[in-house]
Amino acid sequence: MGSHSSHPLPGQLPEPATPAGRDGLAALLADPGRAVVALDFDGTIAPIVPDPDRARAHPGAVPVLARLAPLLRAVVIVTGRPAEVAARYGGFAGAPGLERLVVLGAYGAERWDAATGETRTPPPHPGVEAVREELPGLLEGAGAPEGTWIEDKGRAVAVHTRRAADPQGAFELLRAPLEELAARHGLAVEPGRLVLELRPPGMDKGVALTDFLRETDAGSVLYGGDDLGDLAAYDAVDRLRGGGLPGLLVCSGSEEVTALAERADLVVDGPAGVVALLGAVADALAG
């Protein structure tokens, strides 16, 4: 599959680089009432920032999603973050037009519904608590450089290296010891953009997305992501396309991760590019 970089002008839809992507976009435009738009949060509709607690949706994200959502079967955010945190940082609660928005958090283990404002969460995995206690000592023993820090996500624990003097070097140094720690406690390691997340296995964005598309009886899907954790969702869309469900894979492009761009039907320029693309889709449907 090729990739294609585009800067859509207002009201002008970019053309996907692949036949499957063109079919996916055409299906969305032909029957929006059965289309699902599914989006990652960090790096896709929210710019990546050094401190994840300061991440917020791009200022154009909520307005464009509020224009699109009433025309579609569903809009869903699929994220590794806790569902309620993504809903809060996104500014989705109470936003007119987003009354039916769903956030699938913790890779689909949690669900927040705008309709009720409630979050459903399963009980925590016992391995996460064990890892939480062992992690500081393990990082010290592994020689983790200054600037390495731990983010407690509740159902998962993440180790960030973005603030280290050599972020990529620190990431590579810690990968093997963290994988060993995770395996010892029945957890999986999810690598991302200068972050290694230790979380319960068996749930990924592909499983979460596939289940949601079945639940909503989707006729087509647009999935937008930016990071390695989104590859599982890309794989799911590929499988669904093989079974006859049209889909469009969008990559929120960055210099940090190229694996997604190589698989995407359409590459746009970061969260601003995602917002512009969604705006062009909304214009096309309104026109």
Side-chain angles (χ1 to χ4, degrees):
M1 295 178 76
S3 64
H4 177 57
S5 192
S6 263
H7 300 274
L9 301 167
Q12 183 184 329
L13 275 167
E15 186 177 351
T18 63
R22 291 192 285 273
D23 289 348
L25 180 56
L28 186 160
L29 295 173
D31 190 3
R34 287 196 64 211
V36 170
V37 167
L39 303 162
D40 167 50
F41 187 74
D42 293 279
T44 301
I45 59 168
I48 294 284
V49 290
D51 179 358
D53 287 339
R54 300 183 77 86
R56 296 296 182 270
H58 182 283
V62 166
V64 78
L65 289 174
R67 284 178 62 205
L68 260 181
L71 308 173
L72 304 174
R73 176 62 53 96
V75 172
V76 60
I77 307 299
V78 189
T79 175
R81 282 187 183 269
E84 187 275 330
V85 171
R88 188 155 31 94
Y89 289 1
F92 303 133
L98 297 185
E99 292 85 0
R100 295 182 297 122
L101 182 98
V102 172
V103 178
L104 301 177
Y107 300 91
E110 299 182 355
R111 176 175 176 142
W112 177 88
D113 282 272
T116 60
E118 291 172 3
T119 306
R120 281 182 285 171
T121 59
H125 188 289
V128 175
E129 183 56 43
V131 160
R132 194 178 280 124
E133 290 176 9
E134 288 183 40
L135 203 47
L138 179 133
L139 291 179
E140 191 176 348
E146 189 178 339
T148 304
W149 63 284
I150 299 166
E151 179 189 8
D152 192 336
K153 292 186 165 189
R155 289 188 49 78
V157 184
V159 177
H160 291 262
T161 63
R162 184 174 293 276
R163 297 177 191 164
D166 175 10
Q168 192 62 39
F171 179 92
E172 300 300 342
L173 171 74
L174 296 174
R175 190 163 185 163
L178 289 176
E179 283 174 350
E180 185 194 331
L181 174 67
R184 206 161 64 237
H185 293 291
L187 301 180
V189 173
E190 181 78 53
R193 287 164 73 172
L194 302 175
V195 57
L196 293 153
E197 185 169 317
L198 291 76
R199 62 182 184 83
M203 202 36 146
D204 63 37
K205 290 185 177 184
V207 174
L209 179 62
T210 302
D211 288 350
F212 185 81
L213 293 173
R214 283 202 191 106
E215 173 198 324
T216 52
D217 189 28
S220 67
V221 59
L222 179 159
Y223 183 83
D226 76 307
D227 203 353
L228 298 173
D230 295 304
L231 284 172
Y234 268 40
D235 290 341
V237 172
D238 272 341
R239 280 193 298 274
L240 292 163
R241 292 200 290 205
L245 181 82
L248 173 63
L249 293 171
V250 176
C251 173
S252 171
S254 76
E255 299 300 311
E256 291 180 357
V257 175
T258 57
L260 238 61
E262 291 157 9
R263 293 272 308 276
D265 304 308
L266 188 61
V267 180
V268 298
D269 190 10
V274 172
V275 168
L277 171 64
L278 296 175
V281 170
D283 289 345
L285 293 176

